[in-house]
């Protein structure tokens, strides 16, 4: 099966850029009710995924220097990311997609030049696998 079949295209994905402020990231995540969101650089390349935990740990470790009130003074560039969510190429196969989805809520997808083109949600992969298992079970019962 082609990964493109599962792709939620970039224009439908909430993402942030590396120059976004922490406040902008927090507000975007809150608005969309996401716990993680992809980061894109100025060239449109996938640069990582920021999580709520990344922001909270960074604020805690700042020893009061970063608060919600002044979070607009700090950019995402300054934030260490704890997770290394890896992207897949649009040319990758389902095995690659399934393997990454085991540890990621979504899998970023990039084109042949490494530019971010969208995501595949883990829920879509699980639905695909459940349908595959269901079809296999049905075929086994009919024999």
């Amino acid at each position: 099966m082609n990964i493109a079949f599962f792709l939620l295209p970039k224009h439908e994905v909430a993402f942030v850029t590396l120059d976004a402020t922490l406040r902008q990231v927090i507000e975007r995540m809150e608005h969309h009710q996401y716990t993680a969101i992809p980061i894109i650089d100025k060239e449109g390349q996938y640069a990582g995924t920021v999580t709520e935990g990344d922001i909270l740990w960074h604020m805690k470790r700042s020893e009061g220097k970063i608060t919600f009130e002044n979070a607009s003074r700090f950019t995402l560039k300054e934030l260490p990311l704890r997770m290394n969510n890896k992207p897949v190429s649009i040319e990758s196969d389902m095995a690659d997609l399934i393997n990454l989805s085991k540890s990621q809520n979504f899998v970023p997808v990039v084109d042949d030049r490494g530019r971010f083109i969208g995501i595949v949600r883990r829920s879509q992969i699980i639905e695909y696998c459940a349908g595959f298992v269901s079809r296999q079970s049905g075929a086994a019962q009919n024999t």
Side-chain angles (χ1 to χ4, degrees), residues 34-47:
Y34 292 156
T35 59
I37 194 167
I39 306 166
I40 312 303
D41 69 14
K42 288 181 182 177
E43 288 77 38
Q45 304 234 342
Y46 172 73

Side-chain angles (χ1 to χ4, degrees), residues 10-125:
K10 179 180 178 180
H11 71 273
E12 295 180 29
V13 176
F15 62 88
V16 292
T17 60
L18 282 170
D19 59 351
T21 68
L22 294 184
R23 177 131 186 179
Q24 289 170 325
V25 176
I26 292 166
E27 289 176 350
R28 172 132 328 154
M29 292 173 91
E30 178 184 32
H31 175 76
H32 294 282
Q33 299 180 354
Y34 292 156
T35 59
I37 194 167
I39 306 166
I40 312 303
D41 69 14
K42 288 181 182 177
E43 288 77 38
Q45 304 234 342
Y46 172 73
T49 296
V50 60
T51 67
E52 289 177 330
D54 294 331
I55 296 168
L56 292 172
W57 283 112
H58 187 59
M59 291 174 82
K60 180 181 184 283
R61 290 184 179 127
S62 78
E63 298 178 352
K65 293 177 188 164
I66 304 172
T67 64
F68 183 72
E69 289 75 28
N70 71 5
S72 59
R73 295 186 207 153
F74 302 91
T75 65
L76 193 53
K77 291 177 195 170
E78 305 165 57
L79 182 76
L81 304 177
R82 295 179 307 123
M83 300 285 294
N84 182 21
N85 283 12
K86 296 180 181 167
V88 294
S89 165
I90 191 66
E91 303 297 327
S92 296
D93 60 25
M94 281 303 294
D96 294 332
L97 191 61
I98 291 168
N99 191 41
L100 285 175
S101 72
K102 292 187 288 186
S103 61
Q104 300 177 192
N105 288 335
F106 62 87
V107 179
V109 181
V110 297
D111 66 13
D112 58 349
R113 293 181 293 191
R115 284 195 236 157
F116 178 78
I117 59 172
I119 65 170
V120 176
R121 295 179 177 144
R122 181 167 43 194
S123 60
Q124 292 173 295
I125 299 165

